[in-house]
Amino acid sequence: MSPFKTEVLLHWTGVILYSASALAYALDLGVGRALASLLRDGWRLAAVYHSHTNGYPHLSDVDRAIAAPDGQEAYPGAVHIVLALTAADGPLTIRAYVWSRGEYRQQ
């Protein structure tokens, strides 16, 4: 039995950042506050997902910096899922990444 009350799935939303190559997405401040409250109450973040609309389903440098600021995963145990909507290897490609030995690795 899990020691957590339940698990939460998080979708990064709210266009607020721009990177060198494309538009980037980040967590809405209100959602971030609600998530912080849930985590304090014993919930666990099971996964974070977002899409790349014109590229490959990889964790970009920006994604990695957000997911692991200062080299530590921001949401311990959460799987990071990236969907590529127009990748070279198909119309929809999904990849999952987990924290292992100090970095995110594709599963």
Side-chain angles (χ1 to χ4, degrees):
M1 181 174 194
S2 173
F4 303 104
K5 291 182 179 179
T6 192
E7 296 182 335
V8 179
L9 179 67
L10 176 65
H11 178 212
W12 294 105
T13 59
V15 181
I16 61 169
L17 300 172
Y18 291 88
S19 67
S21 61
L23 200 56
Y25 295 83
L27 186 62
D28 176 88
L29 185 58
V31 173
R33 288 182 181 139
L35 177 61
S37 177
L38 289 170
L39 295 174
R40 278 192 307 272
D41 287 346
W43 293 52
R44 183 179 80 89
L45 183 63
V48 175
Y49 71 97
H50 72 280
S51 61
H52 290 185
T53 58
N54 59 355
Y56 292 96
H58 70 286
L59 285 181
S60 68
D61 291 342
V62 171
D63 295 336
R64 289 174 188 276
I66 293 170
D70 301 321
Q72 299 297 316
E73 60 180 329
Y75 302 108
V79 176
H80 287 260
I81 301 167
V82 184
L83 296 84
L85 304 179
T86 56
D89 51 352
L92 173 64
T93 307
I94 302 170
R95 296 215 174 111
Y97 298 83
V98 297
W99 187 259
S100 175
R101 297 184 298 247
E103 66 179 336
Y104 281 99
R105 298 175 187 266
Q106 183 182 329
Q107 293 298 294

